Amino acid sequence: MVKQGADGATFCDGNGIVGQVGTARVDKAYTVGAGDTFNAGLLHGLSTGLALGDAVQMGVNLATKAVRSQRGALGAVDS
């Protein structure tokens, strides 16, 4: 899996199937903690049984929420 910032993430599973998850660009982005937030979403998704692509999507969504909040990782947990 390769995190690509504003371009989302690309992943490949054990069978060689490649996928891409996109995200919306965020103006005035504050990216501190975005990678860690992505990892937390990915690991949470995998540990709850999501397919790889769905877990990557969860990571991208959580990281995007954190960046959009302009509060870094703390913004990922805001309602």
Side-chain angles (χ1 to χ4, degrees):
M1 195 256 314
V2 178
K3 296 179 269 186
Q4 299 171 293
D7 293 326
T10 300
F11 62 92
C12 181
D13 70 11
N15 296 316
I17 297 173
V18 176
Q20 168 72 31
V21 174
T23 188
R25 290 196 175 272
V26 178
D27 293 329
K28 299 181 185 175
Y30 180 72
T31 61
V32 172
D36 291 333
T37 305
F38 172 90
N39 293 341
L42 173 70
L43 292 172
H44 176 74
L46 291 173
S47 70
T48 57
L50 291 181
L52 179 58
D54 294 332
V56 171
Q57 182 70 63
M58 179 177 279
V60 167
N61 291 348
L62 198 61
T64 301
K65 181 178 178 185
V67 169
R68 186 172 282 130
S69 77
Q70 296 189 26
R71 294 184 60 226
L74 294 174
V77 295
D78 291 342
S79 54

